[in-house]
Amino acid sequence: MNENNFPNVDILFLNEKDLLECGVTNMKNCIDVMEKHFSLISKGDYRMGGANGNEHGLKMSFPNTSDIEGFPLNGPDYRFMAMPAYLGGEFRTCGIKTYGSNQANRAKGLPRSVLMLQLLDYESGAPYAYMSANLISSMRTGAVPGLGIRYLSIEKPEVAAIIGPGVMGRTAALAIACEKPSVTTIKIKGRSQKGIDEFIEFCKENCPTFKNFVVCSSIEEAAKDSDIIYFGTTNAAKYEDNPYLADSWIKPGALVISTSALLMDHKDWGDTNKFKLVSDDYKMYVGWGQGREAPTQKSVSTLIGMGFYDATVEGIISEKDITEIGDVVNKKRAARDNDKQIIVYAVGGMPTEDVAWGRTCYETAVQKKIGTKLNLWTSAEWK
């Protein structure tokens, strides 16, 4: 009989209140951390799931029907995700973000998605932190567009459009205010007056540089004359009901950012004087696209990054026409080639971003002695 004793393993648990004390909602710091993050992505110092190391995550969903009594059935945004990642550089850690999503949560007083983040030692796999991840995820979801605004926007934009003034729209507003105080007018297209009113109140409280709020009845009205156009809506039940942005509605020099569903024509994307396509991680979209049938307009994903992939399959553009935001950060590629270029920035969400911001919050917690230490084991015997 062989007996081995292992050292203590403790986990630091951080609830949402702890994370607020750690500065999780500091947008400027979060954008700075995303800048470091994408510099590492550009260098290849990272790993996500799947054989190509670039998968967004593993999704579990439920069937539309089942013969099993009480079996969970499919519904709007009803899914579970596990998103593993490794990030190197100064972070040098592994993490797994998990979440359950269900539109029915709202009727129970819960957010649509409930998220958690676990950080693990990259060699042993031993966990050392477990934390609430709703704020972590929403902040990095706003900070990645914020990084795009930092590098890709015209120097002094004045008008920004928010299509989808929910949680993602709010953090995008924080990022716009943080990076471009020249923006004083916000155009809003939302689905409910209540959501629009709450968004405006949020901006008045948190974004003092915004002076004018214009509620729009259509995406066309919101997009026209806007220097920054941001999409943060949820997927519609029908493909054709997802947001659509026509080229003719976009001002020359505008920055279009999509973190969610967005349909665009891509027949003119090959005109690199008119369009510049920028991605957070194009390999992620290639992985999603491979193995599918050749795309048709109504069979493709509504993520704009998948639109990039479809355009390469159709021969409209080549992969070299797509610029990675990390390469812009590392000065491998230019941010924009002329002042009139329309830049389309695809943001699909990467678990490495959660690892970067979660690790940053964890380090603050350790420094300030915030959180609750939980013991996983004091010793283990293997026979």
Side-chain angles (χ1 to χ4, degrees):
M1 181 176 68
N2 294 321
E3 185 173 287
N4 297 305
N5 289 322
F6 292 87
N8 289 358
V9 173
D10 293 320
I11 300 172
L12 185 64
F13 175 73
L14 299 171
N15 62 27
E16 197 157 283
K17 180 177 178 292
D18 295 330
L19 288 164
L20 287 168
E21 291 183 47
C22 294
V24 68
T25 56
N26 187 317
M27 180 56 76
K28 174 66 166 60
N29 285 354
C30 193
I31 295 172
D32 289 344
V33 169
M34 291 304 108
E35 188 172 51
K36 295 176 183 178
H37 162 271
F38 278 105
S39 174
L40 293 169
I41 300 298
S42 173
K43 296 171 183 176
D45 195 1
Y46 75 101
R47 191 78 180 172
M48 299 194 298
N52 72 349
N54 281 278
E55 286 191 9
H56 176 74
L58 176 66
K59 180 173 75 171
M60 181 184 74
S61 55
F62 293 101
N64 293 324
T65 62
S66 174
D67 295 331
I68 302 172
E69 184 179 354
F71 199 85
L73 299 179
N74 187 29
D77 284 318
Y78 185 25
R79 62 187 180 274
F80 288 79
M81 291 283 294
M83 304 167 68
Y86 164 79
L87 188 63
E90 67 185 67
F91 305 98
R92 205 164 168 77
T93 195
C94 286
I96 304 172
K97 184 173 83 170
T98 60
Y99 74 83
S101 172
N102 193 339
Q103 286 283 17
N105 284 354
R106 300 188 190 281
K108 302 175 182 178
L110 294 169
R112 187 200 73 194
S113 297
V114 179
L115 303 95
M116 297 298 294
L117 176 65
Q118 181 179 194
L119 299 179
L120 309 100
D121 180 86
Y122 74 94
E123 288 184 311
S124 68
Y128 62 86
Y130 191 52
M131 62 192 75
S132 172
N134 278 64
L135 285 174
I136 289 171
S137 187
S138 63
M139 289 304 297
R140 65 81 157 157
T141 300
V144 177
L147 184 65
I149 291 165
R150 177 179 290 182
Y151 280 93
L152 306 174
S153 171
I154 60 172
E155 186 176 352
K156 290 189 176 181
E158 297 178 355
V159 181
I162 301 289
I163 294 94
V167 173
M168 290 190 291
R170 292 182 186 190
T171 55
L174 289 175
I176 292 168
C178 179
E179 290 298 318
K180 296 294 180 179
S182 58
V183 172
T184 56
T185 297
I186 299 293
K187 300 171 81 174
I188 308 152
K189 171 64 176 74
R191 293 177 179 172
S192 73
Q193 190 60 48
K194 180 176 182 290
I196 292 170
D197 291 342
E198 289 175 350
F199 174 80
I200 292 173
E201 286 304 310
F202 174 85
C203 290
K204 286 180 177 179
E205 183 177 347
N206 297 281
C207 308
T209 53
F210 297 165
K211 304 301 181 185
N212 308 305
F213 298 93
V214 181
V215 178
C216 301
S217 60
S218 67
I219 292 174
E220 178 180 2
E221 182 186 354
K224 282 193 169 180
D225 300 319
S226 291
D227 301 302
I228 298 169
I229 307 169
Y230 173 84
F231 286 83
T233 60
T234 55
N235 286 314
K238 295 181 180 178
Y239 177 89
E240 55 270 20
D241 291 339
N242 283 292
Y244 169 74
L245 180 65
D247 294 352
S248 60
W249 304 343
I250 309 173
K251 176 181 178 181
L255 169 62
V256 178
I257 306 170
S258 180
T259 59
S260 60
L262 174 61
L263 308 180
M264 291 181 71
D265 298 320
H266 46 248
K267 61 181 183 300
D268 292 334
W269 282 356
D271 183 353
T272 54
N273 285 318
K274 184 177 180 181
F275 284 99
K276 190 181 187 79
L277 308 180
V278 180
S279 175
D280 51 354
D281 179 29
Y282 180 64
K283 298 185 189 72
M284 181 169 62
Y285 306 110
V286 172
W288 278 336
Q290 285 177 343
R292 300 184 313 146
E293 295 180 2
T296 61
Q297 181 63 21
K298 291 192 177 182
S299 68
V300 297
S301 166
T302 56
L303 283 174
I304 200 65
M306 284 303 298
F308 291 3
Y309 173 79
D310 295 332
T312 65
V313 173
E314 294 169 14
I316 295 170
I317 61 171
S318 66
E319 289 193 10
K320 68 178 178 60
D321 295 319
I322 301 168
T323 298
E324 299 286 351
I325 188 65
D327 288 345
V328 174
V329 170
N330 288 340
K331 303 188 186 315
K332 295 179 181 179
R333 299 284 293 270
R336 61 167 57 236
D337 302 316
N338 63 69
D339 290 339
K340 300 297 182 182
Q341 264 186 328
I342 295 169
I343 296 183
V344 182
Y345 179 33
V347 179
M350 303 168 65
T352 45
E353 298 159 7
D354 300 283
V355 170
W357 193 226
R359 171 73 189 194
T360 301
C361 292
Y362 165 79
E363 289 173 351
T364 301
V366 171
Q367 180 184 0
K368 294 186 175 182
K369 295 181 170 47
I370 297 169
T372 304
K373 187 178 289 188
L374 304 174
N375 179 250
L376 186 63
W377 67 60
T378 53
S379 65
E381 294 182 351
W382 291 62
K383 300 181 180 179

